[in-house]
Amino acid sequence: EDVLQETWLRWVNVDLAEVRDQRAYLVRITTRQSLNRLRAMQRRKEAYIGPWLPEPLLTSPDVAEDVELAENVSMALMVVLEALSPTERAVFVLREAFDVGYDEIAATLGKTPEAVRQIAHRARAHVEERRPRKAVSPTSETRATVDFIVRALHEGEPHRLLEVLAPEVVLITDGGGIKQATLRPITGAERVTRMAAGRLAKLSSAVTVEATVVNGSPGILLRLNGEIDGVLALRVDDAR
C-alpha cells in the first residue's frame, strides 16, 4: 500500500503529454519504489532477532476459490520470495506474475537484458526448488478445521486444539518487534496447545477470535478490545 501511494503521488505530478509509454513508466516507478522498500525491509530483517515472516495479507474469500491465485499469494510462496534478493524478487515478480519482457525489465532496473535473463533463471530455480509440493486439504475440509479451532479458542477451551493439531505441528511467530513472540519455532501439539492456553489466559475476555482468509487460505484473526492483535495463517493437511 505504501508503494502504491508513492507511485500515485509521482504519477499525478507528471505531465502525461511527455510520457511516451504510460504502462512502462508506471512499471518503472512501481518497481523502483518496491525495491526501495524491499531493501529497507532487508536491513530490518538483518537486525531482527527471531523468525522473520512475510507481512500477512488479508484476502477476500473468493481468492481461496481460485487455486492458482491462492497458490501465488500463499504464505508458503511469500516465505520463499523473502529468501530472494530484492533485485531477484523484482525480476521474478515482473516476469512470472506480469509477463513483462526482459528488455522492459532491463530498462526498469538499469541492467542489460542478458543480465536480467540470468537473474530470472536463478530466481526461478530458487523458487521452484523450495516451493511446497504437497497438496493441502480441500477448502471445505480446511474451513471446517479452522472453524473448530475458532470455537475452541472462543469458548476458552484451548485444550481441544489437541483434537485437530497434527502431532508434529510447528508454530512460528513474528511480532515485528512490537508484539511478544517466541524466538524459536514451537514443535508438537501439546507444546503449541500450552502456549495457546497461556496466551488466552493473559488476554482474558477482552479477546475475540474470528475466521478469516490469509494469503488465499483460511486463517484466524485475533482482536483485543476490538483492535487487531494477531493474524494466524494455517496450513491444513488431512483435516489437521
Side-chain angles (χ1 to χ4, degrees):
E1 292 179 358
D2 291 341
V3 168
L4 181 62
Q5 181 72 15
E6 289 295 327
T7 301
W8 170 250
L9 290 175
R10 282 162 173 72
W11 178 250
V12 295
N13 290 317
V14 168
D15 182 0
L16 297 182
E18 298 182 2
V19 178
R20 186 168 60 252
D21 186 334
Q22 294 187 10
R23 176 185 175 281
Y25 187 80
L26 275 171
V27 167
R28 183 172 300 188
I29 295 176
T30 308
T31 301
R32 289 179 177 175
Q33 290 298 319
S34 298
L35 282 170
N36 290 340
R37 178 165 179 80
L38 284 173
R39 286 164 181 153
M41 294 296 287
Q42 190 175 47
R43 289 192 292 271
R44 281 184 53 199
K45 182 178 179 180
E46 291 169 353
Y48 182 67
I49 299 175
W52 178 279
L53 295 175
E55 189 76 12
L57 176 67
L58 297 178
T59 49
S60 58
D62 59 331
V63 172
E65 303 297 337
D66 187 327
V67 176
E68 183 177 357
L69 179 58
E71 182 184 358
N72 287 335
V73 299
S74 69
M75 184 63 73
L77 181 59
M78 293 301 107
V79 170
V80 174
L81 292 183
E82 287 282 340
L84 299 177
S85 72
T87 300
E88 286 175 335
R89 186 167 178 173
V91 171
F92 179 84
V93 171
L94 288 172
R95 183 63 187 164
E96 300 298 320
F98 298 105
D99 198 29
V100 178
Y102 290 112
D103 290 344
E104 187 175 349
I105 298 175
T108 297
L109 299 179
K111 296 182 179 294
T112 65
E114 292 73 20
V116 169
R117 287 179 185 275
Q118 290 180 351
I119 294 171
H121 175 76
R122 188 167 63 242
R124 193 181 303 115
H126 180 98
V127 171
E128 289 303 316
E129 180 184 344
R130 292 164 176 79
R131 188 194 293 265
R133 300 294 180 188
K134 185 179 179 182
V136 296
S137 294
T139 301
S140 58
E141 191 176 86
T142 299
R143 285 178 177 162
T145 305
V146 172
D147 288 342
F148 182 94
I149 296 174
V150 168
R151 287 196 302 273
L153 296 178
H154 179 72
E155 294 169 6
E157 299 180 334
H159 60 276
R160 291 171 56 195
L161 296 181
L162 289 171
E163 299 178 38
V164 292
L165 291 182
E168 70 281 8
V169 66
V170 178
L171 174 65
I172 303 173
T173 65
D174 176 5
I178 301 172
K179 295 290 183 178
Q180 183 179 2
T182 58
L183 299 182
R184 295 182 180 85
I186 298 176
T187 304
E190 290 191 1
R191 294 183 65 197
V192 171
T193 299
R194 285 200 302 271
M195 180 184 176
R199 178 71 172 152
L200 282 178
K202 288 182 179 179
L203 295 177
S204 68
S205 60
V207 67
T208 57
V209 187
E210 61 189 77
T212 188
V213 181
V214 183
N215 290 78
S217 298
I220 293 175
L221 198 63
L222 301 174
R223 295 183 185 274
L224 182 60
N225 296 318
E227 298 293 332
I228 293 179
D229 186 70
V231 179
L232 186 63
L234 302 171
R235 178 181 174 91
V236 179
D237 292 317
D238 299 324
R240 286 187 171 268

